[in-house]
Every structure is written in C-alpha cells, then in structure tokens.
C-alpha cells in the first residue's frame, strides 16, 4: 500500500475485549493517527531492445593541428603624448558640477567638470538674506552690513563653464557668469582670479558696470592658467572709481565679495613608454596539438532488465531519509 497509517490510543482502567476496538469511547481516552507514504517494491519493466545495430568498428577522430605563430614580438618605441602645460593628464569629461560648501577653504567648491554652479549657496549678503556661511571668501574678506535684502547690493550666484563643453583644464577658456542685485547703474561688478585657491594671489580680469536696478546677469571670459585648484572672486561695489577699488578685498558698507574654488584638469603629456627589457622574439613558434586517442570500445545493446524484489506499488529506488509530519 502506498499510503498507510498508524493509530495510537490511551485508555484508563479499561479491561477485556471491549477496549480493543480501534475507536473506543471514554472520558479520558485520547486517540491520534499518523499517515505515511510507503515506497513499493515492484520490479521495473525490462529494457526494450535497441532499435539500431551496435557499432562494431572503432571511431578514430583526429584533432586539427594548431596554426603556427608567425608574428614577431617587437618592442613599443612610440611614446604617448598629450598637449603642453603642467598638472594632471587630460582625459574624460566630468560633466556639469554643483558646488558644495568646503569647510577647509571656507567657500563653495566644485569637483573637476565642464561647469560649476553655486545655486543658492551665495544668495544674499552678510545677514541680508541671509547669506549662508558668510563671508564665503578664501581670505575672510568681510562683506558690508548696511542695507536690505534685494533692495541693496548682493552677489546671489556664480556659474563657471568651459567654452568647449569639455572639462575645465589648464589653458582652456572659461566664462564666469554672476547673478547680482544692483541698487542702480552706479554699481560695478569686479571679476578676479587666482591659480592657487590654497594661497590666493588675485588678478583682476574685468570690471563691468551694472545695466540697471534689480537682478542682473553679468559675465566675462578668460583663459585658465596652470594649477589644479583655482578660484574665482566676484565683488559688487557702489559708486567706486579710480584705482582704489581695484583691490581684491575692498571694504565698503554695501560691498559683497564671494569666492568659488574649482578643480582644473591638467594638460601635461604622458611620459614616453620605456624600451623593453628583453629582446623581441624573431623566430615563429609552431605548436602541434597531439592527436585525439581512438575510440575502440563497441557500443552494444542493453538486454538485461532491471529487477527488484517482490511486492506491489511503485518501483523501489533511492532513500527518502527521515521525514517530519505536517
């Protein structure tokens, strides 16, 4: 039988044949059953004779010989070269970058890429706005404290981008755009640059008059010098004239000065490839593959049936192992 069962029953102070029934009623009786699957022991049917005659002749297969290696191994003598300048070799494109506040520098900074956008990091001036992390200058150049937000002067955002669309690199041209709030046309915007943000030495790049009152966009372009970590400074100043206001850090009650640091890709040529330490191989190498061994065994039909013991049910094979009831 393939599906059998076991019953266990406990009964209190019962005697005689009456309590030998499979189902005995009593106030303290407990009866439980467990079903089990049982493997059969019927012999498997005999294997049918083969439909094709056995192969009596041995099969011998030959492996094709490996082709000879005729190419010579020669040294590489041409160096890999790039453009001029110093710094890190130029490759890849980091794409547009968004500035984040750099606590070590004290200003927003961008990783290497094709552009750098400060978004709202510079919005306002001093406590007007207020400007977060003010003064946002590499040398702690302080802002003016007088006026009202977006009634008086402020630098609100700086955007720097490569004119080529590739990563900003040494020798390439970039454009600096500043979004500013002008009190009127008597305001002037100053653009400065330094090749080393860690030790700034500022160079004036442009001085542009505000086109009118309110939010304005002004820009200038210049060529990046050598240096991996450079910086841009934008400053707005009211009614200033002469050489006195061309200082990188100018004090005034309505002055706002902000810096942005940028990583710049170098344009140094890669060093030439060194000559080989071993002589080239001039003779061709010919490798022969060993032939495959012949197959000499005959393929004969199976005529003996697979048999088991007596009994009925499913053929017996394998071992199911211990089981847990569910």
């Amino acid at each position: 039988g393939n599906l059998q069962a076991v019953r266990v029953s406990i009964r209190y102070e019962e005697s005689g044949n009456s309590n030998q029934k499979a189902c005995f009623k009593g106030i303290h009786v407990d009866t439980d059953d467990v079903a089990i699957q049982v493997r059969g022991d019927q012999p498997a049917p005999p294997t049918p004779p083969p439909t094709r005659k056995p192969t009596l002749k041995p099969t011998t297969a030959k492996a094709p010989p490996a082709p000879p290696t005729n190419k010579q191994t020669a040294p590489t003598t041409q160096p890999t070269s790039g453009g001029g300048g110093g710094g890190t070799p130029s490759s890849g494109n980091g794409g547009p970058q968004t500035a984040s506040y750099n606590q070590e520098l004290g200003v927003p900074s961008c990783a290497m890429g094709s552009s750098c956008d400060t978004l709202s990091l510079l919005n306002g001036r001093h406590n007007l706005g207020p400007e977060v992390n003010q003064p946002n200058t590499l040398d702690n150049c302080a802002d003016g404290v007088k006026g009202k937000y977006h009634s008086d002067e402020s630098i609100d955002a700086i955007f720097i981008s490569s004119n080529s669309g590739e990563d900003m690199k040494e020798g390439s041209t970039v454009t600096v755009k500043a979004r500013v709030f002008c009190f009127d046309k008597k305001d002037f915007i100053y653009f400065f640059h330094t090749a080393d943000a860690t030790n700034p030495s500022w160079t004036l790049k442009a001085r542009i008059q505000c086109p009118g009152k309110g939010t304005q966009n002004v820009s200038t372009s210049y060529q990046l010098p050598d240096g991996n970590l450079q910086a841009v400074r934008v400053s707005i100043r009211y009614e200033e004239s002469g050489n006195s206001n061309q200082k990188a850090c100018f004090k005034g009650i309505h002055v706002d000065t902000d810096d942005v640091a940028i990583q710049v890709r170098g344009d140094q040529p890669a060093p030439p490839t060194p000559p080989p330490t071993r002589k080239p191989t001039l003779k061709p190498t010919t490798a022969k593959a060993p032939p495959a061994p012949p197959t000499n065994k005959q393929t004969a039909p199976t005529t003996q049936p697979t048999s088991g013991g007596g009994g009925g049910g499913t053929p017996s094979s394998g071992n199911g192992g211990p089981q847990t009831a569910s």
Side-chain angles (χ1 to χ4, degrees):
N2 295 120
L3 186 61
Q4 303 183 26
V6 172
R7 169 167 289 182
V8 179
S9 181
I10 186 171
R11 305 164 185 180
Y12 183 68
E13 285 189 345
E14 303 296 341
S15 61
N17 294 329
S18 59
N19 65 346
Q20 295 183 8
K21 295 178 180 179
C23 181
F24 182 78
K25 304 298 178 68
I27 60 175
H28 297 106
V29 174
D30 187 13
T31 303
D32 294 317
D33 298 342
V34 178
I36 55 174
Q37 285 187 335
V38 178
R39 189 182 299 278
D41 198 22
Q42 185 180 14
T47 304
T51 56
R52 298 180 61 181
K53 293 182 179 181
T55 303
L56 300 178
K57 295 181 179 181
T59 303
T60 304
K62 294 182 179 180
T69 304
N70 294 320
K71 293 184 178 180
Q72 298 180 0
T73 304
T76 302
T77 57
Q78 297 297 328
T80 304
S81 62
T88 307
S90 175
S91 64
N93 192 338
Q97 301 293 320
T98 300
S100 59
Y101 182 70
N102 188 313
Q103 292 185 347
E104 184 177 353
L105 295 175
V107 301
S109 66
C110 278
M112 192 176 298
S114 59
S115 64
C116 176
D117 194 345
T118 64
L119 298 179
S120 62
L121 291 178
L122 301 175
N123 187 45
R125 166 169 56 88
H126 193 65
N127 291 329
L128 310 180
E131 176 185 350
V132 296
N133 303 311
Q134 56 88 16
N136 285 301
T137 54
L138 293 171
D139 49 9
N140 289 318
C141 182
D143 296 331
V145 298
K146 300 295 183 179
K148 295 181 180 179
Y149 174 67
H150 278 190
S151 175
D152 295 284
E153 295 84 351
S154 63
I155 304 292
D156 291 337
I158 299 175
F159 180 77
I160 310 167
S161 62
S162 168
N163 288 12
S164 66
E166 299 177 350
D167 283 355
M168 292 181 281
K169 66 180 181 179
E170 298 167 345
S172 66
T173 301
V174 297
T175 296
V176 182
K177 297 179 182 179
R179 188 175 77 245
V180 302
F181 190 92
C182 298
F183 182 78
D184 58 24
K185 289 185 177 181
K186 294 180 181 179
D187 284 316
F188 287 83
I189 296 93
Y190 292 78
F191 292 87
F192 296 88
H193 175 266
T194 180
D196 185 359
T198 62
N199 185 26
S201 177
W202 299 104
T203 301
L204 179 64
K205 293 297 182 181
R207 176 178 180 265
I208 302 174
Q209 186 175 7
C210 260
K213 182 177 178 62
T215 298
Q216 306 290 341
N217 292 301
V218 291
S219 63
T220 188
S221 298
Y222 68 96
Q223 190 176 43
L224 291 172
D226 291 350
N228 296 125
L229 185 61
Q230 304 186 26
V232 170
R233 168 166 288 183
V234 181
S235 181
I236 186 170
R237 304 165 186 182
Y238 183 70
E239 283 189 333
E240 303 297 342
S241 61
N243 295 328
S244 61
N245 66 348
Q246 294 185 11
K247 296 178 181 179
C249 183
F250 183 79
K251 302 299 176 72
I253 60 175
H254 297 107
V255 172
D256 188 15
T257 302
D258 291 322
D259 300 342
V260 181
I262 54 173
Q263 284 189 334
V264 176
R265 189 179 297 279
D267 198 25
Q268 183 181 13
T273 304
T277 56
R278 298 179 64 184
K279 293 183 179 180
T281 302
L282 301 178
K283 294 182 179 180
T285 303
T286 304
K288 294 183 179 180
T295 303
N296 295 321
K297 294 185 178 180
Q298 298 181 359
T299 303
T302 303
T303 56
Q304 297 297 326
T306 303
S307 61
T314 308
S316 175
S317 64
N319 190 345
Q323 302 294 320
T324 301
S326 60

